[in-house]
Amino acid sequence: MRTKWDIFCCVVDNFGDIGVTWRLAKQLVAEQNVDVCLWVDELDAFARICPQANTHLTMQVQQGVTIRKWPANWQACDAADVVIEAFACELPKDYIQAMALREKPSLWLNLEYLSAEPWVEGCHGLPSLQSNGLQKYFFFPGFFCLVL
């Protein structure tokens, strides 16, 4: 059985958020053979980087990735095996509850922004225990020094 991944993206500005999550979703499908659903709050922004996307559909498949409109009023659904909260976009409370109620709770990753700050190396991969028993792990893409 293929692993199911959900990536949540709240578009903020300049297409960086949606660009990173769209590229990650496509790469996971192509290289890791997993099922990926990309939840996007702004389909108009997504259509700017994926012109074949239909902004009127609440669900569609583009390049092997399921794209779903992230509704303002969340509708209950099953949580994925792996959940990426991109750039601290704040997952719906009902979805977080669904993650905790799974037989094997979802692996929860908080994808942060690219940084060259020295503290990033020490925080990358750290878990944050949540009040519902889940752990959220922080993923900080960055530039790590290589000492020769």
Side-chain angles (χ1 to χ4, degrees), residues 70-119:
W70 182 352
N73 294 318
W74 184 257
Q75 302 295 316
C77 69
D78 292 334
D81 301 307
V82 180
V83 178
I84 297 177
E85 176 183 32
F87 314 113
C89 62
E90 197 167 332
L91 299 177
K93 289 180 184 4
D94 290 342
Y95 189 86
I96 294 171
Q97 183 178 11
M99 291 167 55
L101 292 175
R102 289 171 41 104
E103 184 176 329
K104 180 180 178 189
S106 302
L107 173 60
W108 187 359
L109 304 172
N110 183 4
L111 173 62
E112 289 290 343
Y113 294 98
L114 176 67
S115 177
E117 297 293 329
W119 58 267

Side-chain angles (χ1 to χ4, degrees), residues 36 55 88:
V36 179
T55 60

